[in-house]
């Protein structure tokens, strides 16, 4: 009975797209099978997280371009304006520096804003407010002025959007003390990290990925709960392995898992780590893995110089795992060039599954 | 002194009968409150108006208590800034130091018109505001000298002082303006009838983000008073060389504006009361331009005479000094006496000396706390120092 009630609750909570899938689930539930995980897209997971956090805390509100009446440029905030109204979901003019500063000021005065950048490329217009006003203020005020704000939006490459709309900001924001920077891959990551970010009393930059928004993932029953949080600062081992450690974040995690699925047929077991958080980075998990596998490859979409992979390599060198490396650590990154438009060019600007496989074989000498 | 001599002389001349005279005749300093008026009314300069039918009143009532309070506060800020100048030249204060002397009527006048529950944010010329918003002088000076007793424990310095409902102290020119509108948004959101005073200078007035903020504040009717402290120079650039329109009170375009004599504390107070009422009544933002002047250069590294003449500075000092203006008004209208004001000067000097003593003897912040306050409400964690072997603990 409780199982059927749970299934019914989930059915009620889902959006129209999920309805049919959930209905099938419900029928199977009533017929006696155990409540299963459901398929939820990253978009819907983010939407749920926003809805739940808006409901839970009156001080939370969302502002950004097209977040209200347009339902969100990428439909992440679909239905929220209808439910919460003008006070909680605010459409802004195209004024990044202005509205980002407004979000930060509101946080200083006790609210908990979620500031959406239509893409993180536009955050460059407002980067002074993110770094100088948000991330440094707690320190400069010796703890007197906290800034509980979340900056979120799609980051990195999309599909054919050209150089000005394809930059990855993980390294730029990950560079700065006072900020937390998270980068979800799956729906569970997206929902849990967004909820954790909203509840965190510090400024958090959440780097989503536009190409991941429509991808469905299985979400466990636990992950569907209103209090499900993914801890900030902890990586997740997506796949256990013994021969090589693949460390990645965001969309590249999927590529690593695909490469691992191909390599397993040749007897190579890859351990795939999903960083989930860029700052503070869970180096301990990477070290523990390298101690086990003796080989390290980092995979990211951003440019190579001063990137996430560069930081991981430096940290591994400084720590206990260095002595366990049987080969130098390897970085797979975006190509060192502004993103071109033509499909064949764009594809070859990001690490593909074949590049990961090639690197694994090279590093293992097979 | 003279009174005493005259009284003594008159006793001598009047002979033994004088001994029966009441004792009060020989008291030197008269602190008899019956001698003073309890208040006086003054004409103040009419404000130029933009998109307003009516403006602030052209007369203001000053009570004796208010007068003494404003005088003491302005004098405290004046002496505090001069002491900072001294400490900077002795290299006890380092880095940036932007002094506020000359502009005292602005911060004291603004504070007189608002409540402690209202909010205020300004740029880096902020020592006066740190004081009027409740930070003791010793904590301001100790912050400037980088000691642990500073209001930001030595972590912030001159440009980053904070207090209850005072959000600094901001180093990036213009960035504080969107922040102020955000604070105003929070005021409106919480519905507690509070407003935010958002200050910037004539130099910052040309920042694009300020126009973005005007737009959103007007659209959303945020309870924000935008205040341009026009001291005629953005660093070394005069307003004529920086702005196509120097009518800063009109630059808000669709936002109503008032131009105020920023050297007259009563003018500032009345204009701010008017502006605060405008915001609290839900009409949205309003803009005030305070015409003021700084005696020092832009900062301590600027002598302040390469882009303006000594004569100009001297003229403002002799004709428009805010403290002198208030003093003259009070003396000419029996709100106080020369002696009483001198006593206040002595008290102020003493307070500043003691504060400077504290600021120069308090220890520097402990090295162990170098990495404190990176995150709020976080379990303690390790932070990397200049090398991998140097680690600091961080506590929120």
């Amino acid at each position: 009975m409780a199982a059927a009630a749970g299934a019914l609750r989930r059915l009620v909570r889902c959006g129209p797209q999920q309805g049919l899938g959930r209905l099938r689930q419900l029928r199977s539930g009533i017929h006696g099978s155990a409540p299963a995980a459901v398929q939820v897209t990253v978009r819907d997971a983010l939407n749920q997280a926003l809805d739940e956090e808006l409901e839970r805390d009156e001080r939370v509100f969302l502002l950004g371009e097209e977040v209200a009446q347009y339902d969100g440029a990428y439909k992440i905030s679909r239905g929220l304006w209808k439910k919460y109204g003008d006070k909680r979901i605010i459409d802004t003019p195209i004024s990044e520096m202005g509205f980002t500063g407004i979000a930060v000021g509101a946080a200083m005065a006790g609210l908990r804003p979620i500031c959406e950048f239509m893409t993180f490329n536009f955050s460059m217009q407002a980067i002074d407010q993110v770094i100088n006003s948000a991330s440094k203020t707690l320190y400069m005020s010796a703890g007197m002025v906290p800034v509980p704000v979340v900056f979120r939006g799609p980051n990195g490459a999309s599909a054919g959007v050209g150089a000005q709309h394809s930059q990855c900001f993980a390294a730029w924001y990950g560079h700065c003390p006072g900020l937390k920077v998270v980068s979800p891959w799956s729906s569970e990551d997206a929902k849990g990290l967004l909820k954790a970010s909203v509840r965190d009393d510090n400024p958090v930059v959440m780097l989503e990925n536009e190409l991941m928004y429509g991808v469905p993932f299985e979400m466990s029953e636990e992950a569907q709960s209103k209090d499900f949080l993914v801890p900030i600062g902890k990586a997740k081992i997506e796949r256990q392995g013994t021969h090589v450690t693949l460390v990645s974040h965001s969309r590249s995690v999927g590529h690593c898992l695909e490469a691992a699925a191909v390599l397993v047929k040749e007897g190579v077991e890859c351990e795939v780590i999903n960083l989930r958080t860029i700052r503070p980075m869970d180096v301990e998990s990477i070290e523990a893995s390298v101690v086990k596998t003796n080989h390290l490859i980092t995979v990211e979409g951003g440019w190579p110089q001063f990137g996430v992979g560069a930081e991981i390599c430096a940290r591994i060198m400084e720590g206990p795992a260095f002595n366990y490396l049987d080969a130098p650590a390897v970085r797979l990154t975006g190509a060192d060039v502004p993103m071109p438009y033509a499909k064949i060019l764009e594809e070859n600007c990001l690490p593909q599954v074949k590049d990961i496989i090639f690197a694994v074989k090279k590093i293992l000498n097979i | 002194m003279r009174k005493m001599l005259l009284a003594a002389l008159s006793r001598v001349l009047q002979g033994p009968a004088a001994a029966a005279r009441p004792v009060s005749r020989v008291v030197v300093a008269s602190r008899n409150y019956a001698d003073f008026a309890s208040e006086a009314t003054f004409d103040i300069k009419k404000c130029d108006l933009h998109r307003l039918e009516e403006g602030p009143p052209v007369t203001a009532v000053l009570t004796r208590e208010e007068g003494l309070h404003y005088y003491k506060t302005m004098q405290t800020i004046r002496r505090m800034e001069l002491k900072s100048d001294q400490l900077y030249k002795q290299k006890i204060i380092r880095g940036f130091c932007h002094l506020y002397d000359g502009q005292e009527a602005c911060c004291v006048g603004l504070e007189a018109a608002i409540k402690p529950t209202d909010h205020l944010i300004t740029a880096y010329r902020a020592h006066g505001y740190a004081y009027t918003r409740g930070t003791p002088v010793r904590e301001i000076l100790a912050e400037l000298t980088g000691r642990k007793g500073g209001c930001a424990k030595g972590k912030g310095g001159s440009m980053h002082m904070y207090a209850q409902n005072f959000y600094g102290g901001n180093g990036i020119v213009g960035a504080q303006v969107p922040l102020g509108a955000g604070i105003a948004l929070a005021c409106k959101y919480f519905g507690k009838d509070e407003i935010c005073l958002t200050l910037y200078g004539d130099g910052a007035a040309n920042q694009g983000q300020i126009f973005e903020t005007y737009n959103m504040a007007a659209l959303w009717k945020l309870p924000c008073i935008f205040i341009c402290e026009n001291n005629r120079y953005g660093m070394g650039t005069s307003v004529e060389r920086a702005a196509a329109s120097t009518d800063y009170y009109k630059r808000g375009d669709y936002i109503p504006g008032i131009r105020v004599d920023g050297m007259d504390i009563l003018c500032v107070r009345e204009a701010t009361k008017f502006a605060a009422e405008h915001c609290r009544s839900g009409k949205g933002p309003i803009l005030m331009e305070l015409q003021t002047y700084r005696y020092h250069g832009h900062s301590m590294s600027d002598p302040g005479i390469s882009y303006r003449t000594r004569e100009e500075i001297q003229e403002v000092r002799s004709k428009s000094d805010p403290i002198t203006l208030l003093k003259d008004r009070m003396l000419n209208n029996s709100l106080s006496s020369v002696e009483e004001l001198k006593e206040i000067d002595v008290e102020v000097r003493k307070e500043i000396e003691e504060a400077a003593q504290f600021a120069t003897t308090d220890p520097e912040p402990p090295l162990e706390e170098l990495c404190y306050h990176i995150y709020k409400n976080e379990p303690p964690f390790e932070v990397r120092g200049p090398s991998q072997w140097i680690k600091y603990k961080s506590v929120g």
Side-chain angles (χ1 to χ4, degrees), chain A residues 58 98 180 201-202 318, chain B residues 189 212 375-378 384:
Chain A
E58 282 262 295
K180 293 191 181 181
D201 291 330
N202 297 287
E318 291 175 353
Chain B
Y189 195 105
E212 294 187 10
Y375 292 140
K376 177 104 188 157
N377 290 336
E378 188 85 0
R384 186 196 170 90

Side-chain angles (χ1 to χ4, degrees), chain A residues 58 60 87-88 91 95 97-99 101-102 105-106 111 128-129 138-142 179-180 201-202 318, chain B residues 152 155-156 160 162 172 175 178-179 182-183 186 189-190 209 212 216 220 370 372-373 375-378 384 388:
Chain A
E58 282 262 295
V60 175
K87 183 178 176 183
R88 313 284 302 282
D91 273 336
S95 310
M97 203 166 182
F99 72 69
I102 284 177
L111 289 175
D128 175 68
Q129 296 289 1
L138 186 76
Y139 185 86
M140 293 191 296
S141 66
L179 271 188
K180 293 191 181 181
D201 291 330
N202 297 287
E318 291 175 353
Chain B
K155 302 287 263 303
H160 308 294
Y162 304 83
I172 306 298
L179 295 179
I183 296 162
Y189 195 105
F190 285 126
Q209 58 185 317
E212 294 187 10
M216 286 181 275
W220 302 335
L370 172 65
Y372 279 22
H373 310 122
Y375 292 140
K376 177 104 188 157
N377 290 336
E378 188 85 0
R384 186 196 170 90
Q388 70 205 68

Side-chain angles (χ1 to χ4, degrees), chain A residues 258-271:
Chain A
E258 280 180 57
V262 171
L263 286 161
V264 79
K265 295 182 203 138
E266 298 180 48
V268 177
E269 294 286 348
C270 301
E271 180 143 291

Side-chain angles (χ1 to χ4, degrees), chain A residues 150-273:
Chain A
V150 177
F151 303 104
R152 52 159 293 275
N155 173 65
S158 179
V161 294
Q164 293 178 342
H165 289 74
S166 305
Q167 188 167 333
C168 174
F169 290 86
W172 283 31
Y173 289 119
H175 188 58
C176 304
L179 271 188
K180 293 191 181 181
V181 181
V182 299
S183 182
W185 167 61
S186 64
S187 297
E188 188 177 291
D189 291 351
K191 184 171 180 203
L193 284 173
L194 181 49
K195 287 167 76 73
S197 301
V198 171
R199 297 187 197 190
D200 200 302
D201 291 330
N202 297 287
V204 183
V205 166
M206 176 146 148
L207 304 169
E208 300 160 9
N209 186 293
E210 200 245 308
L211 297 173
M212 295 305 296
Y213 282 154
V215 178
F217 287 86
E218 198 170 271
M219 273 185 79
S220 65
E221 191 166 353
E222 189 213 344
Q224 292 163 54
S225 125
K226 276 190 181 173
D227 282 307
F228 172 71
L229 302 174
V230 163
I232 296 178
K234 198 87 192 72
K236 183 182 178 200
I237 317 268
E238 296 287 350
R239 183 188 191 283
Q240 301 265 5
T242 45
H243 299 123
V244 60
T245 300
L246 302 175
V247 184
S248 185
H249 73 98
S250 190
R251 189 156 175 262
S252 299
V253 174
H255 299 324
C256 289
L257 288 169
E258 280 180 57
V262 171
L263 286 161
V264 79
K265 295 182 203 138
E266 298 180 48
V268 177
E269 294 286 348
C270 301
E271 180 143 291
V272 177
I273 300 182

Side-chain angles (χ1 to χ4, degrees), chain B residues 131-203:
Chain B
Y131 181 66
T132 51
R133 286 260 101 191
T135 313
V137 178
R138 67 208 306 258
E139 287 184 30
I140 294 174
L141 290 182
E143 186 59 35
L144 292 174
T145 57
R147 308 303 164 99
K148 70 177 180 37
C151 54
K153 303 189 181 150
K155 302 287 263 303
S158 171
M159 300 186 291
H160 308 294
M161 299 184 183
Y162 304 83
Q164 183 71 28
N165 297 341
F166 173 54
Y167 304 82
N170 288 276
I172 306 298
V173 173
Q176 75 278 12
V177 177
L179 295 179
I183 296 162
L185 187 141
C187 289
K188 183 172 177 174
Y189 195 105
F190 285 126
K192 287 192 279 188
D193 194 40
E194 294 166 3
I195 61 175
C196 183
L197 276 59
T198 301
L199 285 93
Y200 55 96
D202 49 277

